[in-house]
Amino acid sequence: MPSARPRILDERISLPGYTGKLRQITIIDLGHEEPTILLTNNTRASATTLVTRYAQRMLIENGISEAIQFFHMDALSSMVGLKVDFDLQITLMASGLYRLLAARIGREYQQATAKKIFRNLLDVSATVQVLAREVVVTLDKRAHNPYLIASGLTDRPTPMPWFGNKRLTIAFS
């Protein structure tokens, strides 16, 4: 379990074949079983600054890893540049929409992965009715539906100009 304050060992080291100054920062109580070791030639920044920077980079790497796994970015539809660019753009849009949904729902979903949001909130059976002026999606009962209701996303129909100016209404059974 991560500690409120990770413990840090900051030491100067040398490597065979490298003539510059190196710094090795070993961190324990960071939430991993094994120590985390940072090797850098930055001798000016504080250890806290470097560890914080490392944590920020890990968040970015985790986000990329999630996109590859959940959105299948490693299985783009074509080698044709235009299609790859389109796939990447659609993936980025989907990721952004998941982040917006998470922010709107709040609570533990603000930091949730797209996979968790999909599994808990969106991967649900529904009945779809296409009426003259609206499309009504009625979601089956699920334990997490109150999060969607509390978010306010179901309060107003969503205009769908690309679908004959119909409105999308989400309801719950």
PDB file of all heavy atoms in Angstrom, residues 127-152:
ATOM      1  N   THR A 127     -33.475  -1.006 -25.068  1.00  0.00           N
ATOM      2  CA  THR A 127     -34.484  -1.035 -26.119  1.00  0.00           C
ATOM      3  C   THR A 127     -34.407   0.300 -26.838  1.00  0.00           C
ATOM      4  O   THR A 127     -34.422   1.352 -26.193  1.00  0.00           O
ATOM      5  CB  THR A 127     -35.893  -1.230 -25.522  1.00  0.00           C
ATOM      6  OG1 THR A 127     -35.886  -2.421 -24.738  1.00  0.00           O
ATOM      7  CG2 THR A 127     -36.941  -1.322 -26.606  1.00  0.00           C
ATOM      8  N   VAL A 128     -34.337   0.255 -28.167  1.00  0.00           N
ATOM      9  CA  VAL A 128     -34.244   1.473 -28.960  1.00  0.00           C
ATOM     10  C   VAL A 128     -35.516   1.617 -29.791  1.00  0.00           C
ATOM     11  O   VAL A 128     -35.896   0.696 -30.514  1.00  0.00           O
ATOM     12  CB  VAL A 128     -33.004   1.446 -29.892  1.00  0.00           C
ATOM     13  CG1 VAL A 128     -32.946   2.713 -30.740  1.00  0.00           C
ATOM     14  CG2 VAL A 128     -31.734   1.264 -29.090  1.00  0.00           C
ATOM     15  N   GLN A 129     -36.168   2.765 -29.638  1.00  0.00           N
ATOM     16  CA  GLN A 129     -37.364   3.067 -30.420  1.00  0.00           C
ATOM     17  C   GLN A 129     -37.066   4.268 -31.300  1.00  0.00           C
ATOM     18  O   GLN A 129     -36.666   5.330 -30.792  1.00  0.00           O
ATOM     19  CB  GLN A 129     -38.539   3.416 -29.517  1.00  0.00           C
ATOM     20  CG  GLN A 129     -39.043   2.275 -28.665  1.00  0.00           C
ATOM     21  CD  GLN A 129     -40.151   2.782 -27.756  1.00  0.00           C
ATOM     22  OE1 GLN A 129     -39.908   3.634 -26.899  1.00  0.00           O
ATOM     23  NE2 GLN A 129     -41.355   2.263 -27.952  1.00  0.00           N
ATOM     24  N   VAL A 130     -37.241   4.119 -32.590  1.00  0.00           N
ATOM     25  CA  VAL A 130     -37.065   5.233 -33.519  1.00  0.00           C
ATOM     26  C   VAL A 130     -38.463   5.747 -33.852  1.00  0.00           C
ATOM     27  O   VAL A 130     -39.233   5.096 -34.554  1.00  0.00           O
ATOM     28  CB  VAL A 130     -36.310   4.799 -34.790  1.00  0.00           C
ATOM     29  CG1 VAL A 130     -36.132   5.987 -35.731  1.00  0.00           C
ATOM     30  CG2 VAL A 130     -34.957   4.192 -34.424  1.00  0.00           C
ATOM     31  N   LEU A 131     -38.774   6.908 -33.294  1.00  0.00           N
ATOM     32  CA  LEU A 131     -40.083   7.527 -33.488  1.00  0.00           C
ATOM     33  C   LEU A 131     -39.966   8.630 -34.537  1.00  0.00           C
ATOM     34  O   LEU A 131     -38.879   8.912 -35.041  1.00  0.00           O
ATOM     35  CB  LEU A 131     -40.599   8.078 -32.162  1.00  0.00           C
ATOM     36  CG  LEU A 131     -40.642   7.065 -30.998  1.00  0.00           C
ATOM     37  CD1 LEU A 131     -40.989   7.760 -29.702  1.00  0.00           C
ATOM     38  CD2 LEU A 131     -41.619   5.946 -31.304  1.00  0.00           C
ATOM     39  N   ALA A 132     -41.067   9.292 -34.821  1.00  0.00           N
ATOM     40  CA  ALA A 132     -41.067  10.321 -35.861  1.00  0.00           C
ATOM     41  C   ALA A 132     -40.113  11.471 -35.532  1.00  0.00           C
ATOM     42  O   ALA A 132     -39.388  11.946 -36.409  1.00  0.00           O
ATOM     43  CB  ALA A 132     -42.486  10.854 -36.063  1.00  0.00           C
ATOM     44  N   ARG A 133     -40.074  11.914 -34.276  1.00  0.00           N
ATOM     45  CA  ARG A 133     -39.275  13.090 -33.948  1.00  0.00           C
ATOM     46  C   ARG A 133     -38.176  12.813 -32.937  1.00  0.00           C
ATOM     47  O   ARG A 133     -37.463  13.733 -32.533  1.00  0.00           O
ATOM     48  CB  ARG A 133     -40.181  14.214 -33.449  1.00  0.00           C
ATOM     49  CG  ARG A 133     -41.233  14.546 -34.485  1.00  0.00           C
ATOM     50  CD  ARG A 133     -41.782  15.913 -34.542  1.00  0.00           C
ATOM     51  NE  ARG A 133     -41.060  17.037 -34.092  1.00  0.00           N
ATOM     52  CZ  ARG A 133     -40.325  17.839 -34.879  1.00  0.00           C
ATOM     53  NH1 ARG A 133     -40.181  17.554 -36.147  1.00  0.00           N
ATOM     54  NH2 ARG A 133     -39.757  18.891 -34.400  1.00  0.00           N
ATOM     55  N   GLU A 134     -38.070  11.570 -32.478  1.00  0.00           N
ATOM     56  CA  GLU A 134     -37.014  11.279 -31.512  1.00  0.00           C
ATOM     57  C   GLU A 134     -36.639   9.805 -31.524  1.00  0.00           C
ATOM     58  O   GLU A 134     -37.385   8.968 -32.020  1.00  0.00           O
ATOM     59  CB  GLU A 134     -37.393  11.731 -30.106  1.00  0.00           C
ATOM     60  CG  GLU A 134     -38.481  10.934 -29.443  1.00  0.00           C
ATOM     61  CD  GLU A 134     -38.811  11.457 -28.050  1.00  0.00           C
ATOM     62  OE1 GLU A 134     -37.910  11.936 -27.344  1.00  0.00           O
ATOM     63  OE2 GLU A 134     -39.990  11.386 -27.677  1.00  0.00           O
ATOM     64  N   VAL A 135     -35.467   9.548 -30.978  1.00  0.00           N
ATOM     65  CA  VAL A 135     -34.991   8.194 -30.759  1.00  0.00           C
ATOM     66  C   VAL A 135     -34.944   8.020 -29.249  1.00  0.00           C
ATOM     67  O   VAL A 135     -34.299   8.799 -28.547  1.00  0.00           O
ATOM     68  CB  VAL A 135     -33.584   7.978 -31.367  1.00  0.00           C
ATOM     69  CG1 VAL A 135     -33.054   6.599 -31.022  1.00  0.00           C
ATOM     70  CG2 VAL A 135     -33.618   8.192 -32.873  1.00  0.00           C
ATOM     71  N   VAL A 136     -35.652   7.023 -28.735  1.00  0.00           N
ATOM     72  CA  VAL A 136     -35.713   6.788 -27.299  1.00  0.00           C
ATOM     73  C   VAL A 136     -34.926   5.517 -26.987  1.00  0.00           C
ATOM     74  O   VAL A 136     -35.234   4.451 -27.514  1.00  0.00           O
ATOM     75  CB  VAL A 136     -37.167   6.641 -26.797  1.00  0.00           C
ATOM     76  CG1 VAL A 136     -37.196   6.379 -25.296  1.00  0.00           C
ATOM     77  CG2 VAL A 136     -37.977   7.883 -27.149  1.00  0.00           C
ATOM     78  N   VAL A 137     -33.912   5.666 -26.153  1.00  0.00           N
ATOM     79  CA  VAL A 137     -33.113   4.530 -25.711  1.00  0.00           C
ATOM     80  C   VAL A 137     -33.472   4.274 -24.256  1.00  0.00           C
ATOM     81  O   VAL A 137     -33.261   5.143 -23.401  1.00  0.00           O
ATOM     82  CB  VAL A 137     -31.602   4.815 -25.848  1.00  0.00           C
ATOM     83  CG1 VAL A 137     -30.784   3.647 -25.321  1.00  0.00           C
ATOM     84  CG2 VAL A 137     -31.243   5.125 -27.296  1.00  0.00           C
ATOM     85  N   THR A 138     -34.052   3.105 -23.973  1.00  0.00           N
ATOM     86  CA  THR A 138     -34.434   2.742 -22.614  1.00  0.00           C
ATOM     87  C   THR A 138     -33.448   1.706 -22.114  1.00  0.00           C
ATOM     88  O   THR A 138     -33.413   0.579 -22.616  1.00  0.00           O
ATOM     89  CB  THR A 138     -35.869   2.195 -22.568  1.00  0.00           C
ATOM     90  OG1 THR A 138     -36.749   3.168 -23.157  1.00  0.00           O
ATOM     91  CG2 THR A 138     -36.306   1.921 -21.141  1.00  0.00           C
ATOM     92  N   LEU A 139     -32.642   2.109 -21.143  1.00  0.00           N
ATOM     93  CA  LEU A 139     -31.621   1.226 -20.586  1.00  0.00           C
ATOM     94  C   LEU A 139     -32.237   0.299 -19.548  1.00  0.00           C
ATOM     95  O   LEU A 139     -33.081   0.715 -18.761  1.00  0.00           O
ATOM     96  CB  LEU A 139     -30.506   2.048 -19.937  1.00  0.00           C
ATOM     97  CG  LEU A 139     -29.772   3.031 -20.847  1.00  0.00           C
ATOM     98  CD1 LEU A 139     -28.789   3.859 -20.026  1.00  0.00           C
ATOM     99  CD2 LEU A 139     -29.043   2.297 -21.954  1.00  0.00           C
ATOM    100  N   ASP A 140     -31.810  -0.953 -19.566  1.00  0.00           N
ATOM    101  CA  ASP A 140     -32.268  -1.901 -18.559  1.00  0.00           C
ATOM    102  C   ASP A 140     -31.699  -1.516 -17.197  1.00  0.00           C
ATOM    103  O   ASP A 140     -30.698  -0.799 -17.106  1.00  0.00           O
ATOM    104  CB  ASP A 140     -31.834  -3.324 -18.935  1.00  0.00           C
ATOM    105  CG  ASP A 140     -32.569  -3.832 -20.170  1.00  0.00           C
ATOM    106  OD1 ASP A 140     -33.640  -3.286 -20.494  1.00  0.00           O
ATOM    107  OD2 ASP A 140     -32.052  -4.762 -20.809  1.00  0.00           O
ATOM    108  N   LYS A 141     -32.323  -2.013 -16.146  1.00  0.00           N
ATOM    109  CA  LYS A 141     -31.881  -1.692 -14.784  1.00  0.00           C
ATOM    110  C   LYS A 141     -30.479  -2.222 -14.537  1.00  0.00           C
ATOM    111  O   LYS A 141     -30.160  -3.345 -14.906  1.00  0.00           O
ATOM    112  CB  LYS A 141     -32.838  -2.287 -13.755  1.00  0.00           C
ATOM    113  CG  LYS A 141     -34.166  -1.585 -13.712  1.00  0.00           C
ATOM    114  CD  LYS A 141     -35.040  -2.161 -12.623  1.00  0.00           C
ATOM    115  CE  LYS A 141     -36.370  -1.418 -12.614  1.00  0.00           C
ATOM    116  NZ  LYS A 141     -37.263  -1.931 -11.605  1.00  0.00           N
ATOM    117  N   ARG A 142     -29.659  -1.369 -13.930  1.00  0.00           N
ATOM    118  CA  ARG A 142     -28.298  -1.740 -13.528  1.00  0.00           C
ATOM    119  C   ARG A 142     -27.992  -1.009 -12.230  1.00  0.00           C
ATOM    120  O   ARG A 142     -28.523   0.063 -11.961  1.00  0.00           O
ATOM    121  CB  ARG A 142     -27.251  -1.280 -14.556  1.00  0.00           C
ATOM    122  CG  ARG A 142     -27.235  -1.956 -15.865  1.00  0.00           C
ATOM    123  CD  ARG A 142     -26.285  -3.125 -16.035  1.00  0.00           C
ATOM    124  NE  ARG A 142     -24.934  -3.077 -15.578  1.00  0.00           N
ATOM    125  CZ  ARG A 142     -23.880  -3.035 -16.368  1.00  0.00           C
ATOM    126  NH1 ARG A 142     -24.016  -2.934 -17.653  1.00  0.00           N
ATOM    127  NH2 ARG A 142     -22.678  -3.105 -15.859  1.00  0.00           N
ATOM    128  N   ALA A 143     -27.090  -1.561 -11.472  1.00  0.00           N
ATOM    129  CA  ALA A 143     -26.722  -0.955 -10.182  1.00  0.00           C
ATOM    130  C   ALA A 143     -26.124   0.430 -10.347  1.00  0.00           C
ATOM    131  O   ALA A 143     -26.241   1.274  -9.470  1.00  0.00           O
ATOM    132  CB  ALA A 143     -25.737  -1.868  -9.450  1.00  0.00           C
ATOM    133  N   HIS A 144     -25.474   0.696 -11.493  1.00  0.00           N
ATOM    134  CA  HIS A 144     -24.798   1.976 -11.682  1.00  0.00           C
ATOM    135  C   HIS A 144     -25.663   3.037 -12.367  1.00  0.00           C
ATOM    136  O   HIS A 144     -25.208   4.164 -12.567  1.00  0.00           O
ATOM    137  CB  HIS A 144     -23.509   1.764 -12.484  1.00  0.00           C
ATOM    138  CG  HIS A 144     -22.504   0.945 -11.749  1.00  0.00           C
ATOM    139  ND1 HIS A 144     -22.442  -0.427 -11.884  1.00  0.00           N
ATOM    140  CD2 HIS A 144     -21.550   1.280 -10.857  1.00  0.00           C
ATOM    141  CE1 HIS A 144     -21.477  -0.893 -11.116  1.00  0.00           C
ATOM    142  NE2 HIS A 144     -20.918   0.112 -10.478  1.00  0.00           N
ATOM    143  N   ASN A 145     -26.899   2.717 -12.737  1.00  0.00           N
ATOM    144  CA  ASN A 145     -27.757   3.701 -13.396  1.00  0.00           C
ATOM    145  C   ASN A 145     -27.958   4.978 -12.580  1.00  0.00           C
ATOM    146  O   ASN A 145     -28.068   6.054 -13.160  1.00  0.00           O
ATOM    147  CB  ASN A 145     -29.100   3.088 -13.756  1.00  0.00           C
ATOM    148  CG  ASN A 145     -29.020   2.209 -14.991  1.00  0.00           C
ATOM    149  OD1 ASN A 145     -27.965   2.087 -15.613  1.00  0.00           O
ATOM    150  ND2 ASN A 145     -30.113   1.570 -15.334  1.00  0.00           N
ATOM    151  N   PRO A 146     -28.042   4.910 -11.249  1.00  0.00           N
ATOM    152  CA  PRO A 146     -28.203   6.163 -10.498  1.00  0.00           C
ATOM    153  C   PRO A 146     -27.087   7.185 -10.764  1.00  0.00           C
ATOM    154  O   PRO A 146     -27.318   8.383 -10.702  1.00  0.00           O
ATOM    155  CB  PRO A 146     -28.197   5.704  -9.035  1.00  0.00           C
ATOM    156  CG  PRO A 146     -28.750   4.310  -9.102  1.00  0.00           C
ATOM    157  CD  PRO A 146     -28.193   3.733 -10.382  1.00  0.00           C
ATOM    158  N   TYR A 147     -25.881   6.715 -11.093  1.00  0.00           N
ATOM    159  CA  TYR A 147     -24.795   7.647 -11.441  1.00  0.00           C
ATOM    160  C   TYR A 147     -25.143   8.410 -12.714  1.00  0.00           C
ATOM    161  O   TYR A 147     -24.917   9.612 -12.810  1.00  0.00           O
ATOM    162  CB  TYR A 147     -23.473   6.907 -11.647  1.00  0.00           C
ATOM    163  CG  TYR A 147     -22.856   6.384 -10.376  1.00  0.00           C
ATOM    164  CD1 TYR A 147     -22.808   5.025 -10.120  1.00  0.00           C
ATOM    165  CD2 TYR A 147     -22.296   7.248  -9.450  1.00  0.00           C
ATOM    166  CE1 TYR A 147     -22.228   4.532  -8.961  1.00  0.00           C
ATOM    167  CE2 TYR A 147     -21.718   6.774  -8.292  1.00  0.00           C
ATOM    168  CZ  TYR A 147     -21.687   5.418  -8.051  1.00  0.00           C
ATOM    169  OH  TYR A 147     -21.117   4.946  -6.906  1.00  0.00           O
ATOM    170  N   LEU A 148     -25.689   7.707 -13.696  1.00  0.00           N
ATOM    171  CA  LEU A 148     -26.076   8.367 -14.941  1.00  0.00           C
ATOM    172  C   LEU A 148     -27.222   9.340 -14.706  1.00  0.00           C
ATOM    173  O   LEU A 148     -27.227  10.445 -15.243  1.00  0.00           O
ATOM    174  CB  LEU A 148     -26.486   7.331 -15.993  1.00  0.00           C
ATOM    175  CG  LEU A 148     -25.364   6.480 -16.579  1.00  0.00           C
ATOM    176  CD1 LEU A 148     -25.934   5.380 -17.462  1.00  0.00           C
ATOM    177  CD2 LEU A 148     -24.397   7.336 -17.354  1.00  0.00           C
ATOM    178  N   ILE A 149     -28.187   8.943 -13.901  1.00  0.00           N
ATOM    179  CA  ILE A 149     -29.327   9.817 -13.608  1.00  0.00           C
ATOM    180  C   ILE A 149     -28.861  11.063 -12.864  1.00  0.00           C
ATOM    181  O   ILE A 149     -29.225  12.185 -13.212  1.00  0.00           O
ATOM    182  CB  ILE A 149     -30.396   9.048 -12.799  1.00  0.00           C
ATOM    183  CG1 ILE A 149     -30.996   7.924 -13.657  1.00  0.00           C
ATOM    184  CG2 ILE A 149     -31.491  10.001 -12.306  1.00  0.00           C
ATOM    185  CD1 ILE A 149     -31.842   6.928 -12.888  1.00  0.00           C
ATOM    186  N   ALA A 150     -28.001  10.882 -11.848  1.00  0.00           N
ATOM    187  CA  ALA A 150     -27.527  12.014 -11.045  1.00  0.00           C
ATOM    188  C   ALA A 150     -26.658  12.970 -11.857  1.00  0.00           C
ATOM    189  O   ALA A 150     -26.559  14.149 -11.529  1.00  0.00           O
ATOM    190  CB  ALA A 150     -26.738  11.502  -9.830  1.00  0.00           C
ATOM    191  N   SER A 151     -26.052  12.492 -12.934  1.00  0.00           N
ATOM    192  CA  SER A 151     -25.182  13.349 -13.742  1.00  0.00           C
ATOM    193  C   SER A 151     -25.959  14.406 -14.517  1.00  0.00           C
ATOM    194  O   SER A 151     -25.387  15.373 -14.991  1.00  0.00           O
ATOM    195  CB  SER A 151     -24.375  12.495 -14.725  1.00  0.00           C
ATOM    196  OG  SER A 151     -25.226  12.013 -15.762  1.00  0.00           O
ATOM    197  N   GLY A 152     -27.266  14.199 -14.671  1.00  0.00           N
ATOM    198  CA  GLY A 152     -28.075  15.155 -15.428  1.00  0.00           C
ATOM    199  C   GLY A 152     -28.065  14.890 -16.926  1.00  0.00           C
ATOM    200  O   GLY A 152     -28.684  15.618 -17.693  1.00  0.00           O
TER     201      GLY A 152
END
